[in-house]
Amino acid sequence: MKKTTDDTAEILRLLHQVKDPEIPVLSVVDMGVVRHIEIRDGEIWVTITPTYSGCPAMNTIAKDIEDFLLGQGFSPVTIKTVLSPTWTTDWITENGRKALKDYGIAPPSKESWDKKNIMLEEVVVKCPRCESQNTQMTSEFGSTACKALYKCLDCLEPFDYFKCI
């Protein structure tokens, strides 16, 4: 049975169940990838923005959102990808930042940017496990291109840091 709604808030609540394929503790909403929901003549339009223009997960995210909403009985569903404005780590929700930390990924730190929005050379990244600031970057790239690999010099654990964009 086809389900209809004109309540975009209902769709947004439902999309909290769709997980980011690269970081499964985050929903695509908490990640800030879902930018806009519109309902036109019974059709649900979801606008998404990739974390960076070459993000390999975007096709999967678009398909996951569409499949999820179709599975909930909504039809038709259209997913639109936009590149502007560009995604920023500021779009990650507070819930998302906490989920990253709990998962062992250091969330992006706004303290790593100056007042002109230029990345500072010395970024202080707290270890998500022991909270130590005695950490060191070991590689500019971690498990994905949007993360850097760090090591805590106190607890000696390696961890990813979600780079500010």
Side-chain angles (χ1 to χ4, degrees), residues 37-63:
I37 298 168
E38 186 177 351
I39 301 169
R40 292 187 230 153
D41 298 324
E43 182 174 1
I44 297 171
W45 288 73
V46 179
T47 302
I48 59 176
T49 298
T51 55
Y52 66 100
S53 62
C55 179
M58 286 314 292
N59 288 338
T60 300
I61 289 171
K63 181 95 172 95

Side-chain angles (χ1 to χ4, degrees), residues 12-71:
L12 184 64
R13 279 190 302 277
L14 287 169
L15 291 181
H16 275 279
Q17 297 176 58
V18 179
K19 300 300 179 185
D20 182 291
E22 293 178 341
I23 310 171
V25 296
L26 288 182
S27 75
V28 292
V29 175
D30 284 328
M31 187 67 171
V33 169
V34 173
R35 298 308 307 150
H36 184 70
I37 298 168
E38 186 177 351
I39 301 169
R40 292 187 230 153
D41 298 324
E43 182 174 1
I44 297 171
W45 288 73
V46 179
T47 302
I48 59 176
T49 298
T51 55
Y52 66 100
S53 62
C55 179
M58 286 314 292
N59 288 338
T60 300
I61 289 171
K63 181 95 172 95
D64 288 351
I65 291 171
E66 180 181 27
D67 288 349
F68 178 78
L69 291 174
L70 290 172

Side-chain angles (χ1 to χ4, degrees), residues 38 67 70 83 98 117 147 164:
E38 186 177 351
D67 288 349
L70 290 172
L83 302 178
K98 182 181 180 328
N117 210 27
K147 295 190 277 289
C164 289

Side-chain angles (χ1 to χ4, degrees), residues 51-106:
T51 55
Y52 66 100
S53 62
C55 179
M58 286 314 292
N59 288 338
T60 300
I61 289 171
K63 181 95 172 95
D64 288 351
I65 291 171
E66 180 181 27
D67 288 349
F68 178 78
L69 291 174
L70 290 172
Q72 295 294 307
F74 295 102
S75 178
V77 174
T78 299
I79 310 300
K80 179 181 171 188
T81 301
V82 296
L83 302 178
S84 181
T86 52
W87 182 88
T88 169
T89 50
D90 291 343
W91 293 355
I92 299 173
T93 66
E94 285 306 312
N95 185 53
R97 290 171 190 280
K98 182 181 180 328
L100 282 171
K101 183 181 175 299
D102 292 347
Y103 192 59
I105 298 172

